[in-house]
mmCIF file of all heavy atoms in Angstrom:
data_model
loop_
_atom_site.group_PDB
_atom_site.id
_atom_site.type_symbol
_atom_site.label_atom_id
_atom_site.label_comp_id
_atom_site.label_asym_id
_atom_site.label_seq_id
_atom_site.Cartn_x
_atom_site.Cartn_y
_atom_site.Cartn_z
ATOM 1 N N PRO A 105 0.062 9.288 3.643
ATOM 2 C CA PRO A 105 0.380 10.650 4.042
ATOM 3 C C PRO A 105 1.685 11.139 3.421
ATOM 4 O O PRO A 105 1.811 12.352 3.062
ATOM 5 C CB PRO A 105 0.527 10.555 5.584
ATOM 6 C CG PRO A 105 -0.220 9.321 5.923
ATOM 7 C CD PRO A 105 -0.106 8.397 4.758
ATOM 8 N N ILE A 106 2.666 10.277 3.275
ATOM 9 C CA ILE A 106 3.965 10.655 2.671
ATOM 10 C C ILE A 106 3.734 11.002 1.207
ATOM 11 O O ILE A 106 4.175 12.034 0.670
ATOM 12 C CB ILE A 106 5.029 9.566 2.804
ATOM 13 C CG1 ILE A 106 5.269 9.236 4.262
ATOM 14 C CG2 ILE A 106 6.330 9.990 2.123
ATOM 15 C CD1 ILE A 106 6.130 8.001 4.491
ATOM 16 N N LEU A 107 2.951 10.137 0.493
ATOM 17 C CA LEU A 107 2.658 10.393 -0.905
ATOM 18 C C LEU A 107 1.904 11.712 -1.090
ATOM 19 O O LEU A 107 2.207 12.490 -1.984
ATOM 20 C CB LEU A 107 1.827 9.245 -1.487
ATOM 21 C CG LEU A 107 1.403 9.361 -2.936
ATOM 22 C CD1 LEU A 107 2.637 9.377 -3.860
ATOM 23 C CD2 LEU A 107 0.486 8.207 -3.312
ATOM 24 N N HIS A 108 0.924 11.957 -0.231
ATOM 25 C CA HIS A 108 0.169 13.211 -0.310
ATOM 26 C C HIS A 108 1.083 14.432 -0.115
ATOM 27 O O HIS A 108 0.971 15.421 -0.811
ATOM 28 C CB HIS A 108 -0.938 13.200 0.737
ATOM 29 C CG HIS A 108 -1.811 14.380 0.667
ATOM 30 N ND1 HIS A 108 -1.631 15.482 1.502
ATOM 31 C CD2 HIS A 108 -2.848 14.701 -0.127
ATOM 32 C CE1 HIS A 108 -2.539 16.385 1.211
ATOM 33 N NE2 HIS A 108 -3.289 15.936 0.218
ATOM 34 N N GLU A 109 1.994 14.329 0.807
ATOM 35 C CA GLU A 109 2.961 15.406 1.097
ATOM 36 C C GLU A 109 3.871 15.647 -0.089
ATOM 37 O O GLU A 109 4.131 16.789 -0.467
ATOM 38 C CB GLU A 109 3.756 15.038 2.346
ATOM 39 C CG GLU A 109 4.749 16.047 2.803
ATOM 40 C CD GLU A 109 5.506 15.541 3.982
ATOM 41 O OE1 GLU A 109 4.888 15.052 4.943
ATOM 42 O OE2 GLU A 109 6.744 15.646 3.965
ATOM 43 N N LEU A 110 4.365 14.583 -0.700
ATOM 44 C CA LEU A 110 5.332 14.660 -1.773
ATOM 45 C C LEU A 110 4.690 15.034 -3.133
ATOM 46 O O LEU A 110 5.293 15.737 -3.909
ATOM 47 C CB LEU A 110 6.119 13.394 -1.933
ATOM 48 C CG LEU A 110 6.994 12.950 -0.791
ATOM 49 C CD1 LEU A 110 7.592 11.599 -1.073
ATOM 50 C CD2 LEU A 110 8.103 13.979 -0.535
ATOM 51 N N ALA A 111 3.522 14.460 -3.394
ATOM 52 C CA ALA A 111 2.995 14.568 -4.762
ATOM 53 C C ALA A 111 1.503 14.909 -4.810
ATOM 54 O O ALA A 111 0.914 14.845 -5.876
ATOM 55 C CB ALA A 111 3.240 13.285 -5.480
ATOM 56 N N GLY A 112 0.923 15.278 -3.670
ATOM 57 C CA GLY A 112 -0.533 15.502 -3.631
ATOM 58 C C GLY A 112 -1.037 16.478 -4.692
ATOM 59 O O GLY A 112 -2.086 16.220 -5.307
ATOM 60 N N LYS A 113 -0.333 17.524 -4.959
ATOM 61 C CA LYS A 113 -0.779 18.540 -5.913
ATOM 62 C C LYS A 113 -0.649 18.062 -7.339
ATOM 63 O O LYS A 113 -1.329 18.614 -8.212
ATOM 64 C CB LYS A 113 -0.057 19.821 -5.709
ATOM 65 C CG LYS A 113 -0.413 20.475 -4.393
ATOM 66 C CD LYS A 113 0.223 21.809 -4.201
ATOM 67 C CE LYS A 113 -0.235 22.321 -2.835
ATOM 68 N NZ LYS A 113 0.260 23.610 -2.507
ATOM 69 N N ARG A 114 0.174 17.077 -7.610
ATOM 70 C CA ARG A 114 0.327 16.602 -9.003
ATOM 71 C C ARG A 114 -0.395 15.296 -9.256
ATOM 72 O O ARG A 114 -0.311 14.756 -10.343
ATOM 73 C CB ARG A 114 1.805 16.520 -9.344
ATOM 74 C CG ARG A 114 2.588 15.500 -8.681
ATOM 75 C CD ARG A 114 4.044 15.526 -9.127
ATOM 76 N NE ARG A 114 4.409 14.288 -9.738
ATOM 77 C CZ ARG A 114 5.583 13.690 -9.547
ATOM 78 N NH1 ARG A 114 6.499 14.271 -8.800
ATOM 79 N NH2 ARG A 114 5.824 12.560 -10.133
ATOM 80 N N ILE A 115 -1.132 14.767 -8.302
ATOM 81 C CA ILE A 115 -1.939 13.599 -8.529
ATOM 82 C C ILE A 115 -3.212 13.988 -9.263
ATOM 83 O O ILE A 115 -4.023 14.769 -8.761
ATOM 84 C CB ILE A 115 -2.290 12.825 -7.241
ATOM 85 C CG1 ILE A 115 -0.969 12.290 -6.617
ATOM 86 C CG2 ILE A 115 -3.272 11.703 -7.507
ATOM 87 C CD1 ILE A 115 -1.164 11.658 -5.264
ATOM 88 N N ALA A 116 -3.382 13.462 -10.481
ATOM 89 C CA ALA A 116 -4.517 13.812 -11.308
ATOM 90 C C ALA A 116 -5.640 12.809 -11.167
ATOM 91 O O ALA A 116 -6.797 13.115 -11.397
ATOM 92 C CB ALA A 116 -4.113 13.926 -12.755
ATOM 93 N N GLN A 117 -5.291 11.583 -10.843
ATOM 94 C CA GLN A 117 -6.266 10.499 -10.775
ATOM 95 C C GLN A 117 -5.835 9.502 -9.703
ATOM 96 O O GLN A 117 -4.656 9.141 -9.621
ATOM 97 C CB GLN A 117 -6.308 9.808 -12.134
ATOM 98 C CG GLN A 117 -7.301 8.665 -12.259
ATOM 99 C CD GLN A 117 -7.228 8.044 -13.642
ATOM 100 O OE1 GLN A 117 -6.574 8.524 -14.567
ATOM 101 N NE2 GLN A 117 -7.881 6.930 -13.785
ATOM 102 N N ALA A 118 -6.796 9.100 -8.876
ATOM 103 C CA ALA A 118 -6.493 8.071 -7.864
ATOM 104 C C ALA A 118 -7.761 7.218 -7.723
ATOM 105 O O ALA A 118 -8.881 7.756 -7.776
ATOM 106 C CB ALA A 118 -6.137 8.730 -6.555
ATOM 107 N N ASN A 119 -7.557 5.961 -7.549
ATOM 108 C CA ASN A 119 -8.720 5.076 -7.323
ATOM 109 C C ASN A 119 -8.388 3.953 -6.351
ATOM 110 O O ASN A 119 -7.229 3.686 -6.045
ATOM 111 C CB ASN A 119 -9.271 4.534 -8.644
ATOM 112 C CG ASN A 119 -8.322 3.575 -9.334
ATOM 113 O OD1 ASN A 119 -7.237 3.243 -8.829
ATOM 114 N ND2 ASN A 119 -8.727 3.096 -10.493
ATOM 115 N N GLN A 120 -9.441 3.324 -5.891
ATOM 116 C CA GLN A 120 -9.291 2.190 -4.983
ATOM 117 C C GLN A 120 -10.330 1.138 -5.397
ATOM 118 O O GLN A 120 -11.496 1.485 -5.670
ATOM 119 C CB GLN A 120 -9.576 2.616 -3.547
ATOM 120 C CG GLN A 120 -9.647 1.454 -2.539
ATOM 121 C CD GLN A 120 -9.834 1.931 -1.139
ATOM 122 O OE1 GLN A 120 -8.958 2.512 -0.593
ATOM 123 N NE2 GLN A 120 -11.008 1.665 -0.550
ATOM 124 N N VAL A 121 -9.909 -0.101 -5.395
ATOM 125 C CA VAL A 121 -10.788 -1.240 -5.691
ATOM 126 C C VAL A 121 -10.681 -2.182 -4.533
ATOM 127 O O VAL A 121 -9.573 -2.575 -4.126
ATOM 128 C CB VAL A 121 -10.419 -1.925 -7.013
ATOM 129 C CG1 VAL A 121 -11.263 -3.147 -7.234
ATOM 130 C CG2 VAL A 121 -10.514 -0.987 -8.202
ATOM 131 N N MET A 122 -11.835 -2.566 -3.954
ATOM 132 C CA MET A 122 -11.824 -3.526 -2.849
ATOM 133 C C MET A 122 -12.632 -4.773 -3.269
ATOM 134 O O MET A 122 -13.734 -4.651 -3.834
ATOM 135 C CB MET A 122 -12.464 -2.946 -1.602
ATOM 136 C CG MET A 122 -12.441 -3.927 -0.457
ATOM 137 S SD MET A 122 -13.293 -3.520 1.091
ATOM 138 C CE MET A 122 -13.526 -1.833 1.105
#
Side-chain angles (χ1 to χ4, degrees):
I106 302 170
L107 179 63
H108 183 262
E109 182 182 312
L110 296 175
K113 292 183 180 182
R114 67 181 242 221
I115 294 174
Q117 181 182 350
N119 68 2
Q120 172 177 292
V121 175
M122 181 186 342

